[in-house]
Amino acid sequence: MCPIWEGRFIHSAMYMAIVSAFHVLASHLTVAAAWFNLYLKRRAVYEQRPELYVYLKHSALGLLVFAYVFGAMAGMGIWQTTTAANPRGISALIHNFVFYWGAEWSMFLIDVVGIIAYYY
């Protein structure tokens, strides 16, 4: 039998890594898509291409759904898996990195408000 499925390699730290990797993928894709939308918006304005506006509207909606639904779910999944794996560990992380955690949430809030304002 494969050792991966026997429980030797899949453990709490691996679950945290999988959920965290998906969360980072969603957040980085969000930032990249926002810059790409800015680039396309500038092209649409300067080249007077109205067909790009339709694409940008759909792209912004997809960005809202993917990044802020799946990304937020994965962010909460990180809390769940970390708390299940080591309840005292999450407390230590919060106490040691509270400023960085607050800065991340501030940037996330700015990102969410920005894409919602852009979409509407």
Side-chain angles (χ1 to χ4, degrees), residues 105-120:
W105 271 95
S106 300
M107 292 299 118
F108 177 70
L109 183 63
I110 291 169
D111 195 27
V112 169
V113 169
I115 194 65
I116 289 173
Y118 178 77
Y119 179 72
Y120 289 108

Side-chain angles (χ1 to χ4, degrees), residues 3-73:
I4 292 175
W5 304 118
E6 290 177 7
R8 293 183 192 164
F9 298 120
I10 302 293
H11 46 81
S12 59
M14 185 62 73
Y15 284 122
M16 289 183 340
I18 291 168
V19 173
S20 299
F22 179 73
H23 179 69
V24 168
L25 171 73
S27 67
H28 283 68
L29 186 63
T30 302
V31 172
W35 283 106
F36 183 69
N37 281 354
L38 176 66
Y39 167 73
L40 282 183
K41 180 75 169 190
R42 288 179 55 94
R43 278 191 72 177
V45 169
Y46 289 132
E47 296 175 9
Q48 298 175 352
R49 296 180 57 189
E51 69 273 5
L52 288 178
Y53 291 116
V54 176
Y55 172 77
L56 285 168
K57 189 77 167 174
H58 293 305
S59 174
L61 181 61
L63 186 63
L64 273 169
V65 170
F66 176 75
Y68 305 121
V69 173
F70 295 121
M73 284 176 24

